[in-house]
Structures are given as structure tokens and as C-alpha cells.
Amino acid sequence: MAGTDTSLAIAKAIPLAPVIILVGPQLGENIGMCARAMLNCAVTELRIVNPRDGWQNPAAVAAASGADAVLEQAKLYTSTKDAVADLEFVLATTARGRGLVKEIYSTDAAAKEIRNRNAGKMQKCGILFGPERTGLENDDVAFANAILNIPLNPGFSSLNLAQAVLLVCFSWLSAENPFRPEAISTEMGDTAPAKKDEIEMLLAHIEDELVKGDFFRSPNQKPTILLNIRNFFFRASPTQQDVRTLHGIVSCLTGKRTWK
Amino acid sequence: MAGTDTSLAIAKAIPLAPVIILVGPQLGENIGMCARAMLNCAVTELRIVNPRDGWQNPAAVAAASGADAVLEQAKLYTSTKDAVADLEFVLATTARGRGLVKEIYSTDAAAKEIRNRNAGKMQKCGILFGPERTGLENDDVAFANAILNIPLNPGFSSLNLAQAVLLVCFSWLSAENPFRPEAISTEMGDTAPAKKDEIEMLLAHIEDELVKGDFFRSPNQKPTILLNIRNFFFRASPTQQDVRTLHGIVSCLTGKRTWK
């Protein structure tokens, strides 16, 4: 169970992550997978309302894959009302159409709303998730300020509990992610990028000439050298014009004036 | 397995979703869960390179929870090279630092890059995922233009295969999501929102009773108190049913059983 101390310390450095509240979860395994998904996203505060199989639950620990600290700090409640009592803003994760008048936030909009409430007002926010099969009851949704809807393929939108927690937590983390590498953009020239098999033909051409030229003095080195050559050409993202030029260069260097 | 035809039709309406390429996956169950995660996000083209347990795999179908069509259309390959041959841009999903020089894209940056390549140039893009335990080998990463890194809690970043596929596909879908509700939209129940004059009548009712109850001790305070009450009720955006209920509550509290 590696990394829990470190991971928790890192997560705690981010202020006011949302509280994840599981209402009536059925399987301990799913609670454990939720804990893992939370810690992946530096979200650490878990509350559990009336878990079907009681608490503590060894199946949860087994499924948490090292996110033990999230489970150890989880708090148990006997009502949704008590579980949200100290929170200032609560979202209920549910599919549309519960017949209650509520605003609906997408995961992106929810993430921004929570960030804004944290930044400006230091408000503590929570997100409710219902039981695996049935989802949240209206009696629970009524405790929320608004509904959180994960926008997916409307013809196939069923997620398991831990996946829903993962997407919501990841959206929150991504809204202001301190771990994100700089966004990268690349400039394309005025010709189309080469297809992979066009690059392979170039590599085959080069290898062929290198073999003829006795470039690979040691057979042991050949795979490593070819790997690095392949990596170079794929990384370079050549255009089709580049590939034609490179063929021409190879042909030129080997004394052949044309290549086809 | 409901909804597959519909879901696939919907997914196909989105042009040029990235191709998901699983290299050397071990468990059929994980392949099935990947197919489910893909279809959740309207991503339908799956390629499988050398699955450990062969193909077809009944365990994959069982775990796909209805995403059968993705599995049925999946293509089998014996090399990563063949699996990427017709693609113009390929990302390799891996943790940082494989010793190869590659640009690193976050999930967000990757999603935008793929959208941009689709929109402007109609380029077909693919994303490589390695085996469950070991991840991608350098021999596979070398086929990619760049590395895709999912930015998570660096102290606890281990995801299972299907979760990684889910986050990558969801980021792609979210970059330009046709299924997203308006940033904030309102779920209306079976009654319409109250008109402003209906709210004003409620306020008049309340004010009338407060005057009778000698609520406004100081005449100076009355306008401010009424302003705050009005602001509260307008901010709450009550439905017509809410307004009727609130009239009833006021009447009840003042000892009158009916109001009209």
C-alpha cells in the first residue's frame, strides 16, 4: 500500500476539495474504488450514509488499492441531512428529470462553481452520490442546492459508482490543476502529415542502406539503434514532403540519384 | 443489453473520435470495461494488439455492460506498427519519463489537439494504452508523436486501464461536448416558474400579516426589511406551486386555514 502518506500530504496541500458523500452504497468494493478514485484526484474527505453492509468493511480496504487513509478518515452518518449539515453548497449527482426544480450543472460548470466558492468565500462544498442501482432518491436530492449531471453519450450513459466519482473529482482537479503539464501546441507546415506507414517505408529504406553500408558493427546494438531512429522520426512528426525529402537525401548519400 | 444501436448511432454522429488502441491487454474483463467507458463517451473504434488471452473473449463481453457493438467492431492486430498505420497523429498514454524525447500533452491539451486536427485537417488520431501491469514499452511509445499524461495526484496516480481510458475519452468528449447542458440550466418540475406579480402578491400577503402582527417596530426599518424579504423570494425563483404553498403557510401561521 505504497504512497499513502505522501499522497495524502500532497492532497492536503490543496484547500477545500469537495466532500464526497456516498448515500446508501451497497458494495464495499465500490466504496473502496471510490476512495481510490478520490485520492487519484487529491480529494480526501469521504462521508458514507447508511452503507448497506455496515462499516468498517474489509472489501472496501481491499479495493482501495492503497487509498487506505481516505477510508480510515471516512465518517459514517445515519442521514443525508446530518451528512451535509456543515456544508454551504451541495450538488446531487443524478441523471436528469427528477421532477424537482433545481439548476443543473455539468461537471465542468460544477468544478468552476466549487472553485469559485472556495476562492472567494471559503465555502465548503459537497457532492452526493446515490446507491449503485437506484441512484439518489428525491428525498436526498432535496438537500442539494443544484443537480450535477455528467454529460455523456445520451444513448449509453450508465456509469458505475466509482467511475462517476472519478469523473466528478477529475473535473474538479482539472479546473485548476497544479499537476498539469504546460499545454503544448505544434505548428504544422503547409503539407499534410505523413501517415505512419509512409514513415515506416522511410525507416525501411534507411535501415536497408545502413545494412548495406555495414553500419551495424555489433548485432547487439542494432535493435537499440533502430529504436532510437524510429523514435526520432516519429517524434519529428514529418510531413509527407519531409518524407519525400528524406528519401531523396538517403538516395543521394548512397550515390543513387532517385528513389521510388 | 439495451441501447447499443441507439448509442452507436449517436456516437457515429460525431466525426473522427480518436481510435483507442490497447496494446497487450491481459484481462478480457478490462477490455470489456474499456469498451463501456469508450461508448459512454461516444468513442467507438477499438483496436487490440496481441491480447494475452486471445480474441474473441467472453469475459470482455460480460464486462462491457451493453457496449457489445464496440467489441464486435474491434479490430485485432499483431503489432503496434500495423495498428497505427493509417493514423496521422498518435499519442502514447504513459507516466512521465520513459527516457524517450517526446512532447507531453495533458488530457486537456490532448483533447484540444485532437479536436483541432479533426476540425481543420480531418486527421485521424489514435491513443495507445499499455498492458495493465507494465504500461507501454518504449518500442510502442516510439510509434507515437507525443506522450499523453493524465495529470493526477503525483503521490497516488495509479489508475486501472478502464479508468485511464475513461478519463482520456471523457476529456475528449468534454472538449466540445454536444450533450452538455447549458452551463447552468434549470430542471423544471411539473409547474411553471411564478410570475413576478404572483411573487408580489405573496409579498403583499406577508407584509399585510406582518403589519397586523406589529412586526415593524420602527417605521424607518420597514423599507429595508421588505427589500431584503423581496430579494430573498426573488432569488429563490419559486414555482407557482411554491407560491401557493407559501400563501398556505402564512395563512396557517396566522390562524387562517385558507387563503385565496
Side-chain angles (χ1 to χ4, degrees), chain A residues 121-155:
Chain A
K121 305 160 206 159
M122 295 298 283
Q123 292 178 6
K124 194 162 186 178
C125 303
I127 303 170
L128 295 165
F129 293 83
E132 289 91 328
R133 289 199 187 169
T134 55
L136 288 168
E137 303 280 343
N138 274 2
D139 284 345
D140 299 310
V141 175
F143 285 104
N145 296 68
I147 285 172
L148 170 53
N149 176 259
I150 304 174
L152 295 168
N153 178 349

PDB file of all heavy atoms in Angstrom, chain A residues 121-155:
ATOM      1  N   LYS A 121     -15.108  32.761  -1.126  1.00  0.00           N
ATOM      2  CA  LYS A 121     -15.883  32.777   0.116  1.00  0.00           C
ATOM      3  C   LYS A 121     -15.472  31.684   1.079  1.00  0.00           C
ATOM      4  O   LYS A 121     -16.046  31.552   2.141  1.00  0.00           O
ATOM      5  CB  LYS A 121     -17.368  32.619  -0.232  1.00  0.00           C
ATOM      6  CG  LYS A 121     -17.869  33.659  -1.222  1.00  0.00           C
ATOM      7  CD  LYS A 121     -19.159  33.182  -1.895  1.00  0.00           C
ATOM      8  CE  LYS A 121     -19.342  33.806  -3.272  1.00  0.00           C
ATOM      9  NZ  LYS A 121     -20.250  33.046  -4.120  1.00  0.00           N
ATOM     10  N   MET A 122     -14.502  30.868   0.673  1.00  0.00           N
ATOM     11  CA  MET A 122     -14.076  29.761   1.525  1.00  0.00           C
ATOM     12  C   MET A 122     -15.256  28.899   1.956  1.00  0.00           C
ATOM     13  O   MET A 122     -15.374  28.500   3.120  1.00  0.00           O
ATOM     14  CB  MET A 122     -13.316  30.279   2.737  1.00  0.00           C
ATOM     15  CG  MET A 122     -12.010  30.964   2.371  1.00  0.00           C
ATOM     16  SD  MET A 122     -10.828  29.846   1.546  1.00  0.00           S
ATOM     17  CE  MET A 122     -10.208  28.916   2.958  1.00  0.00           C
ATOM     18  N   GLN A 123     -16.153  28.651   1.025  1.00  0.00           N
ATOM     19  CA  GLN A 123     -17.291  27.799   1.343  1.00  0.00           C
ATOM     20  C   GLN A 123     -16.924  26.329   1.164  1.00  0.00           C
ATOM     21  O   GLN A 123     -16.226  25.966   0.226  1.00  0.00           O
ATOM     22  CB  GLN A 123     -18.473  28.121   0.434  1.00  0.00           C
ATOM     23  CG  GLN A 123     -19.073  29.487   0.679  1.00  0.00           C
ATOM     24  CD  GLN A 123     -20.208  29.775  -0.270  1.00  0.00           C
ATOM     25  OE1 GLN A 123     -20.616  28.911  -1.045  1.00  0.00           O
ATOM     26  NE2 GLN A 123     -20.704  30.997  -0.226  1.00  0.00           N
ATOM     27  N   LYS A 124     -17.429  25.508   2.048  1.00  0.00           N
ATOM     28  CA  LYS A 124     -17.187  24.072   1.963  1.00  0.00           C
ATOM     29  C   LYS A 124     -18.303  23.425   1.147  1.00  0.00           C
ATOM     30  O   LYS A 124     -19.488  23.620   1.428  1.00  0.00           O
ATOM     31  CB  LYS A 124     -17.133  23.473   3.364  1.00  0.00           C
ATOM     32  CG  LYS A 124     -16.562  22.085   3.405  1.00  0.00           C
ATOM     33  CD  LYS A 124     -16.114  21.705   4.818  1.00  0.00           C
ATOM     34  CE  LYS A 124     -15.405  20.357   4.798  1.00  0.00           C
ATOM     35  NZ  LYS A 124     -14.917  20.000   6.143  1.00  0.00           N
ATOM     36  N   CYS A 125     -17.918  22.692   0.124  1.00  0.00           N
ATOM     37  CA  CYS A 125     -18.891  22.119  -0.817  1.00  0.00           C
ATOM     38  C   CYS A 125     -18.888  20.595  -0.727  1.00  0.00           C
ATOM     39  O   CYS A 125     -17.882  19.986  -0.369  1.00  0.00           O
ATOM     40  CB  CYS A 125     -18.542  22.538  -2.251  1.00  0.00           C
ATOM     41  SG  CYS A 125     -18.475  24.325  -2.480  1.00  0.00           S
ATOM     42  N   GLY A 126     -20.029  19.990  -1.064  1.00  0.00           N
ATOM     43  CA  GLY A 126     -20.139  18.536  -1.060  1.00  0.00           C
ATOM     44  C   GLY A 126     -20.886  18.040  -2.279  1.00  0.00           C
ATOM     45  O   GLY A 126     -21.660  18.777  -2.896  1.00  0.00           O
ATOM     46  N   ILE A 127     -20.636  16.785  -2.628  1.00  0.00           N
ATOM     47  CA  ILE A 127     -21.294  16.178  -3.787  1.00  0.00           C
ATOM     48  C   ILE A 127     -21.890  14.838  -3.368  1.00  0.00           C
ATOM     49  O   ILE A 127     -21.184  13.968  -2.850  1.00  0.00           O
ATOM     50  CB  ILE A 127     -20.291  15.994  -4.942  1.00  0.00           C
ATOM     51  CG1 ILE A 127     -19.655  17.349  -5.304  1.00  0.00           C
ATOM     52  CG2 ILE A 127     -20.990  15.397  -6.155  1.00  0.00           C
ATOM     53  CD1 ILE A 127     -18.499  17.253  -6.262  1.00  0.00           C
ATOM     54  N   LEU A 128     -23.200  14.698  -3.580  1.00  0.00           N
ATOM     55  CA  LEU A 128     -23.937  13.484  -3.202  1.00  0.00           C
ATOM     56  C   LEU A 128     -23.968  12.473  -4.349  1.00  0.00           C
ATOM     57  O   LEU A 128     -24.222  12.848  -5.500  1.00  0.00           O
ATOM     58  CB  LEU A 128     -25.382  13.841  -2.842  1.00  0.00           C
ATOM     59  CG  LEU A 128     -25.626  14.721  -1.615  1.00  0.00           C
ATOM     60  CD1 LEU A 128     -27.066  15.250  -1.647  1.00  0.00           C
ATOM     61  CD2 LEU A 128     -25.385  13.927  -0.335  1.00  0.00           C
ATOM     62  N   PHE A 129     -23.730  11.216  -4.014  1.00  0.00           N
ATOM     63  CA  PHE A 129     -23.863  10.115  -4.975  1.00  0.00           C
ATOM     64  C   PHE A 129     -24.798   9.064  -4.379  1.00  0.00           C
ATOM     65  O   PHE A 129     -24.661   8.709  -3.206  1.00  0.00           O
ATOM     66  CB  PHE A 129     -22.503   9.460  -5.249  1.00  0.00           C
ATOM     67  CG  PHE A 129     -21.526  10.343  -5.964  1.00  0.00           C
ATOM     68  CD1 PHE A 129     -20.761  11.263  -5.268  1.00  0.00           C
ATOM     69  CD2 PHE A 129     -21.365  10.265  -7.342  1.00  0.00           C
ATOM     70  CE1 PHE A 129     -19.850  12.083  -5.927  1.00  0.00           C
ATOM     71  CE2 PHE A 129     -20.464  11.071  -8.007  1.00  0.00           C
ATOM     72  CZ  PHE A 129     -19.712  11.992  -7.295  1.00  0.00           C
ATOM     73  N   GLY A 130     -25.712   8.549  -5.178  1.00  0.00           N
ATOM     74  CA  GLY A 130     -26.704   7.596  -4.677  1.00  0.00           C
ATOM     75  C   GLY A 130     -26.228   6.156  -4.722  1.00  0.00           C
ATOM     76  O   GLY A 130     -25.111   5.865  -5.140  1.00  0.00           O
ATOM     77  N   PRO A 131     -27.082   5.224  -4.297  1.00  0.00           N
ATOM     78  CA  PRO A 131     -26.752   3.802  -4.351  1.00  0.00           C
ATOM     79  C   PRO A 131     -26.538   3.337  -5.791  1.00  0.00           C
ATOM     80  O   PRO A 131     -27.071   3.930  -6.739  1.00  0.00           O
ATOM     81  CB  PRO A 131     -27.989   3.128  -3.745  1.00  0.00           C
ATOM     82  CG  PRO A 131     -28.717   4.199  -3.020  1.00  0.00           C
ATOM     83  CD  PRO A 131     -28.417   5.471  -3.738  1.00  0.00           C
ATOM     84  N   GLU A 132     -25.788   2.253  -5.945  1.00  0.00           N
ATOM     85  CA  GLU A 132     -25.373   1.772  -7.256  1.00  0.00           C
ATOM     86  C   GLU A 132     -26.558   1.574  -8.213  1.00  0.00           C
ATOM     87  O   GLU A 132     -26.506   1.973  -9.373  1.00  0.00           O
ATOM     88  CB  GLU A 132     -24.608   0.453  -7.125  1.00  0.00           C
ATOM     89  CG  GLU A 132     -23.224   0.602  -6.500  1.00  0.00           C
ATOM     90  CD  GLU A 132     -23.238   0.441  -4.992  1.00  0.00           C
ATOM     91  OE1 GLU A 132     -24.250   0.815  -4.364  1.00  0.00           O
ATOM     92  OE2 GLU A 132     -22.244  -0.048  -4.440  1.00  0.00           O
ATOM     93  N   ARG A 133     -27.591   0.900  -7.753  1.00  0.00           N
ATOM     94  CA  ARG A 133     -28.645   0.529  -8.699  1.00  0.00           C
ATOM     95  C   ARG A 133     -29.659   1.619  -8.944  1.00  0.00           C
ATOM     96  O   ARG A 133     -30.138   1.815 -10.055  1.00  0.00           O
ATOM     97  CB  ARG A 133     -29.407  -0.701  -8.189  1.00  0.00           C
ATOM     98  CG  ARG A 133     -28.562  -1.933  -8.284  1.00  0.00           C
ATOM     99  CD  ARG A 133     -29.417  -3.182  -8.239  1.00  0.00           C
ATOM    100  NE  ARG A 133     -28.538  -4.342  -8.178  1.00  0.00           N
ATOM    101  CZ  ARG A 133     -28.945  -5.572  -7.926  1.00  0.00           C
ATOM    102  NH1 ARG A 133     -30.227  -5.805  -7.718  1.00  0.00           N
ATOM    103  NH2 ARG A 133     -28.086  -6.554  -7.896  1.00  0.00           N
ATOM    104  N   THR A 134     -30.004   2.334  -7.896  1.00  0.00           N
ATOM    105  CA  THR A 134     -31.168   3.208  -7.994  1.00  0.00           C
ATOM    106  C   THR A 134     -30.817   4.677  -8.110  1.00  0.00           C
ATOM    107  O   THR A 134     -31.632   5.482  -8.541  1.00  0.00           O
ATOM    108  CB  THR A 134     -32.050   3.029  -6.752  1.00  0.00           C
ATOM    109  OG1 THR A 134     -31.245   3.262  -5.584  1.00  0.00           O
ATOM    110  CG2 THR A 134     -32.611   1.628  -6.696  1.00  0.00           C
ATOM    111  N   GLY A 135     -29.599   5.042  -7.724  1.00  0.00           N
ATOM    112  CA  GLY A 135     -29.275   6.462  -7.674  1.00  0.00           C
ATOM    113  C   GLY A 135     -29.959   7.139  -6.504  1.00  0.00           C
ATOM    114  O   GLY A 135     -30.597   6.489  -5.670  1.00  0.00           O
ATOM    115  N   LEU A 136     -29.827   8.446  -6.443  1.00  0.00           N
ATOM    116  CA  LEU A 136     -30.367   9.213  -5.311  1.00  0.00           C
ATOM    117  C   LEU A 136     -31.886   9.270  -5.341  1.00  0.00           C
ATOM    118  O   LEU A 136     -32.494   9.403  -6.404  1.00  0.00           O
ATOM    119  CB  LEU A 136     -29.822  10.643  -5.351  1.00  0.00           C
ATOM    120  CG  LEU A 136     -28.343  10.826  -4.994  1.00  0.00           C
ATOM    121  CD1 LEU A 136     -27.900  12.237  -5.365  1.00  0.00           C
ATOM    122  CD2 LEU A 136     -28.088  10.556  -3.520  1.00  0.00           C
ATOM    123  N   GLU A 137     -32.474   9.178  -4.188  1.00  0.00           N
ATOM    124  CA  GLU A 137     -33.910   9.416  -4.032  1.00  0.00           C
ATOM    125  C   GLU A 137     -34.173  10.919  -4.008  1.00  0.00           C
ATOM    126  O   GLU A 137     -33.307  11.703  -3.629  1.00  0.00           O
ATOM    127  CB  GLU A 137     -34.404   8.832  -2.698  1.00  0.00           C
ATOM    128  CG  GLU A 137     -34.138   7.364  -2.503  1.00  0.00           C
ATOM    129  CD  GLU A 137     -35.156   6.515  -3.241  1.00  0.00           C
ATOM    130  OE1 GLU A 137     -36.222   7.068  -3.607  1.00  0.00           O
ATOM    131  OE2 GLU A 137     -34.879   5.325  -3.463  1.00  0.00           O
ATOM    132  N   ASN A 138     -35.390  11.304  -4.365  1.00  0.00           N
ATOM    133  CA  ASN A 138     -35.732  12.726  -4.301  1.00  0.00           C
ATOM    134  C   ASN A 138     -35.568  13.302  -2.890  1.00  0.00           C
ATOM    135  O   ASN A 138     -35.226  14.468  -2.724  1.00  0.00           O
ATOM    136  CB  ASN A 138     -37.172  12.946  -4.772  1.00  0.00           C
ATOM    137  CG  ASN A 138     -37.240  13.107  -6.286  1.00  0.00           C
ATOM    138  OD1 ASN A 138     -36.220  13.020  -6.972  1.00  0.00           O
ATOM    139  ND2 ASN A 138     -38.433  13.361  -6.799  1.00  0.00           N
ATOM    140  N   ASP A 139     -35.805  12.463  -1.886  1.00  0.00           N
ATOM    141  CA  ASP A 139     -35.628  12.930  -0.507  1.00  0.00           C
ATOM    142  C   ASP A 139     -34.194  13.376  -0.244  1.00  0.00           C
ATOM    143  O   ASP A 139     -33.952  14.250   0.594  1.00  0.00           O
ATOM    144  CB  ASP A 139     -35.997  11.819   0.483  1.00  0.00           C
ATOM    145  CG  ASP A 139     -37.498  11.636   0.603  1.00  0.00           C
ATOM    146  OD1 ASP A 139     -38.241  12.535   0.157  1.00  0.00           O
ATOM    147  OD2 ASP A 139     -37.924  10.597   1.122  1.00  0.00           O
ATOM    148  N   ASP A 140     -33.239  12.762  -0.940  1.00  0.00           N
ATOM    149  CA  ASP A 140     -31.844  13.171  -0.799  1.00  0.00           C
ATOM    150  C   ASP A 140     -31.528  14.364  -1.693  1.00  0.00           C
ATOM    151  O   ASP A 140     -30.830  15.292  -1.285  1.00  0.00           O
ATOM    152  CB  ASP A 140     -30.917  12.011  -1.151  1.00  0.00           C
ATOM    153  CG  ASP A 140     -31.122  10.816  -0.235  1.00  0.00           C
ATOM    154  OD1 ASP A 140     -31.131  11.015   0.992  1.00  0.00           O
ATOM    155  OD2 ASP A 140     -31.298   9.707  -0.753  1.00  0.00           O
ATOM    156  N   VAL A 141     -32.042  14.321  -2.922  1.00  0.00           N
ATOM    157  CA  VAL A 141     -31.769  15.410  -3.871  1.00  0.00           C
ATOM    158  C   VAL A 141     -32.242  16.747  -3.304  1.00  0.00           C
ATOM    159  O   VAL A 141     -31.631  17.791  -3.538  1.00  0.00           O
ATOM    160  CB  VAL A 141     -32.442  15.123  -5.234  1.00  0.00           C
ATOM    161  CG1 VAL A 141     -32.269  16.302  -6.186  1.00  0.00           C
ATOM    162  CG2 VAL A 141     -31.865  13.854  -5.862  1.00  0.00           C
ATOM    163  N   ALA A 142     -33.325  16.690  -2.507  1.00  0.00           N
ATOM    164  CA  ALA A 142     -33.882  17.930  -1.954  1.00  0.00           C
ATOM    165  C   ALA A 142     -32.889  18.666  -1.056  1.00  0.00           C
ATOM    166  O   ALA A 142     -33.015  19.878  -0.862  1.00  0.00           O
ATOM    167  CB  ALA A 142     -35.169  17.637  -1.181  1.00  0.00           C
ATOM    168  N   PHE A 143     -31.887  17.960  -0.514  1.00  0.00           N
ATOM    169  CA  PHE A 143     -30.890  18.619   0.333  1.00  0.00           C
ATOM    170  C   PHE A 143     -29.842  19.377  -0.477  1.00  0.00           C
ATOM    171  O   PHE A 143     -29.006  20.073   0.096  1.00  0.00           O
ATOM    172  CB  PHE A 143     -30.173  17.597   1.224  1.00  0.00           C
ATOM    173  CG  PHE A 143     -31.015  17.108   2.367  1.00  0.00           C
ATOM    174  CD1 PHE A 143     -31.600  15.858   2.336  1.00  0.00           C
ATOM    175  CD2 PHE A 143     -31.223  17.917   3.478  1.00  0.00           C
ATOM    176  CE1 PHE A 143     -32.382  15.404   3.388  1.00  0.00           C
ATOM    177  CE2 PHE A 143     -32.003  17.475   4.541  1.00  0.00           C
ATOM    178  CZ  PHE A 143     -32.592  16.218   4.497  1.00  0.00           C
ATOM    179  N   ALA A 144     -29.866  19.201  -1.776  1.00  0.00           N
ATOM    180  CA  ALA A 144     -28.832  19.821  -2.611  1.00  0.00           C
ATOM    181  C   ALA A 144     -29.272  21.181  -3.131  1.00  0.00           C
ATOM    182  O   ALA A 144     -30.457  21.421  -3.350  1.00  0.00           O
ATOM    183  CB  ALA A 144     -28.499  18.907  -3.786  1.00  0.00           C
ATOM    184  N   ASN A 145     -28.305  22.065  -3.351  1.00  0.00           N
ATOM    185  CA  ASN A 145     -28.593  23.341  -3.989  1.00  0.00           C
ATOM    186  C   ASN A 145     -28.913  23.171  -5.460  1.00  0.00           C
ATOM    187  O   ASN A 145     -29.687  23.940  -6.029  1.00  0.00           O
ATOM    188  CB  ASN A 145     -27.383  24.280  -3.888  1.00  0.00           C
ATOM    189  CG  ASN A 145     -27.059  24.650  -2.465  1.00  0.00           C
ATOM    190  OD1 ASN A 145     -26.634  23.805  -1.687  1.00  0.00           O
ATOM    191  ND2 ASN A 145     -27.280  25.903  -2.117  1.00  0.00           N
ATOM    192  N   ALA A 146     -28.291  22.178  -6.063  1.00  0.00           N
ATOM    193  CA  ALA A 146     -28.448  22.002  -7.507  1.00  0.00           C
ATOM    194  C   ALA A 146     -28.077  20.574  -7.882  1.00  0.00           C
ATOM    195  O   ALA A 146     -27.550  19.815  -7.060  1.00  0.00           O
ATOM    196  CB  ALA A 146     -27.561  22.996  -8.263  1.00  0.00           C
ATOM    197  N   ILE A 147     -28.376  20.229  -9.133  1.00  0.00           N
ATOM    198  CA  ILE A 147     -28.097  18.891  -9.657  1.00  0.00           C
ATOM    199  C   ILE A 147     -26.805  18.924 -10.461  1.00  0.00           C
ATOM    200  O   ILE A 147     -26.518  19.899 -11.166  1.00  0.00           O
ATOM    201  CB  ILE A 147     -29.280  18.411 -10.530  1.00  0.00           C
ATOM    202  CG1 ILE A 147     -30.449  18.008  -9.608  1.00  0.00           C
ATOM    203  CG2 ILE A 147     -28.888  17.267 -11.442  1.00  0.00           C
ATOM    204  CD1 ILE A 147     -31.737  17.711 -10.343  1.00  0.00           C
ATOM    205  N   LEU A 148     -26.021  17.861 -10.325  1.00  0.00           N
ATOM    206  CA  LEU A 148     -24.808  17.693 -11.122  1.00  0.00           C
ATOM    207  C   LEU A 148     -25.049  16.571 -12.123  1.00  0.00           C
ATOM    208  O   LEU A 148     -25.372  15.448 -11.745  1.00  0.00           O
ATOM    209  CB  LEU A 148     -23.629  17.353 -10.205  1.00  0.00           C
ATOM    210  CG  LEU A 148     -22.324  16.922 -10.871  1.00  0.00           C
ATOM    211  CD1 LEU A 148     -21.872  17.927 -11.910  1.00  0.00           C
ATOM    212  CD2 LEU A 148     -21.232  16.733  -9.831  1.00  0.00           C
ATOM    213  N   ASN A 149     -24.915  16.904 -13.399  1.00  0.00           N
ATOM    214  CA  ASN A 149     -25.132  15.928 -14.452  1.00  0.00           C
ATOM    215  C   ASN A 149     -23.835  15.728 -15.229  1.00  0.00           C
ATOM    216  O   ASN A 149     -23.224  16.688 -15.680  1.00  0.00           O
ATOM    217  CB  ASN A 149     -26.256  16.426 -15.385  1.00  0.00           C
ATOM    218  CG  ASN A 149     -26.469  15.510 -16.557  1.00  0.00           C
ATOM    219  OD1 ASN A 149     -26.010  15.782 -17.658  1.00  0.00           O
ATOM    220  ND2 ASN A 149     -27.144  14.418 -16.324  1.00  0.00           N
ATOM    221  N   ILE A 150     -23.406  14.474 -15.342  1.00  0.00           N
ATOM    222  CA  ILE A 150     -22.176  14.167 -16.088  1.00  0.00           C
ATOM    223  C   ILE A 150     -22.559  13.990 -17.548  1.00  0.00           C
ATOM    224  O   ILE A 150     -23.283  13.057 -17.887  1.00  0.00           O
ATOM    225  CB  ILE A 150     -21.521  12.887 -15.540  1.00  0.00           C
ATOM    226  CG1 ILE A 150     -21.255  13.022 -14.039  1.00  0.00           C
ATOM    227  CG2 ILE A 150     -20.229  12.585 -16.296  1.00  0.00           C
ATOM    228  CD1 ILE A 150     -20.750  11.744 -13.377  1.00  0.00           C
ATOM    229  N   PRO A 151     -22.133  14.898 -18.416  1.00  0.00           N
ATOM    230  CA  PRO A 151     -22.613  14.835 -19.802  1.00  0.00           C
ATOM    231  C   PRO A 151     -21.911  13.755 -20.604  1.00  0.00           C
ATOM    232  O   PRO A 151     -20.743  13.865 -20.931  1.00  0.00           O
ATOM    233  CB  PRO A 151     -22.292  16.234 -20.353  1.00  0.00           C
ATOM    234  CG  PRO A 151     -21.255  16.815 -19.458  1.00  0.00           C
ATOM    235  CD  PRO A 151     -21.223  16.035 -18.183  1.00  0.00           C
ATOM    236  N   LEU A 152     -22.661  12.696 -20.906  1.00  0.00           N
ATOM    237  CA  LEU A 152     -22.122  11.537 -21.633  1.00  0.00           C
ATOM    238  C   LEU A 152     -22.995  11.248 -22.840  1.00  0.00           C
ATOM    239  O   LEU A 152     -24.014  11.923 -23.053  1.00  0.00           O
ATOM    240  CB  LEU A 152     -22.103  10.321 -20.711  1.00  0.00           C
ATOM    241  CG  LEU A 152     -21.168  10.396 -19.492  1.00  0.00           C
ATOM    242  CD1 LEU A 152     -21.459   9.268 -18.523  1.00  0.00           C
ATOM    243  CD2 LEU A 152     -19.707  10.344 -19.937  1.00  0.00           C
ATOM    244  N   ASN A 153     -22.601  10.251 -23.627  1.00  0.00           N
ATOM    245  CA  ASN A 153     -23.413   9.742 -24.727  1.00  0.00           C
ATOM    246  C   ASN A 153     -24.820   9.442 -24.207  1.00  0.00           C
ATOM    247  O   ASN A 153     -24.991   8.529 -23.401  1.00  0.00           O
ATOM    248  CB  ASN A 153     -22.744   8.460 -25.242  1.00  0.00           C
ATOM    249  CG  ASN A 153     -23.497   7.789 -26.363  1.00  0.00           C
ATOM    250  OD1 ASN A 153     -24.638   8.141 -26.656  1.00  0.00           O
ATOM    251  ND2 ASN A 153     -22.839   6.831 -26.997  1.00  0.00           N
ATOM    252  N   PRO A 154     -25.821  10.191 -24.626  1.00  0.00           N
ATOM    253  CA  PRO A 154     -27.155  10.006 -24.037  1.00  0.00           C
ATOM    254  C   PRO A 154     -27.750   8.629 -24.336  1.00  0.00           C
ATOM    255  O   PRO A 154     -28.654   8.193 -23.630  1.00  0.00           O
ATOM    256  CB  PRO A 154     -27.986  11.128 -24.666  1.00  0.00           C
ATOM    257  CG  PRO A 154     -27.215  11.590 -25.840  1.00  0.00           C
ATOM    258  CD  PRO A 154     -25.783  11.269 -25.612  1.00  0.00           C
ATOM    259  N   GLY A 155     -27.235   7.937 -25.333  1.00  0.00           N
ATOM    260  CA  GLY A 155     -27.712   6.592 -25.620  1.00  0.00           C
ATOM    261  C   GLY A 155     -27.037   5.530 -24.782  1.00  0.00           C
ATOM    262  O   GLY A 155     -27.437   4.366 -24.801  1.00  0.00           O
TER     263      GLY A 155
END
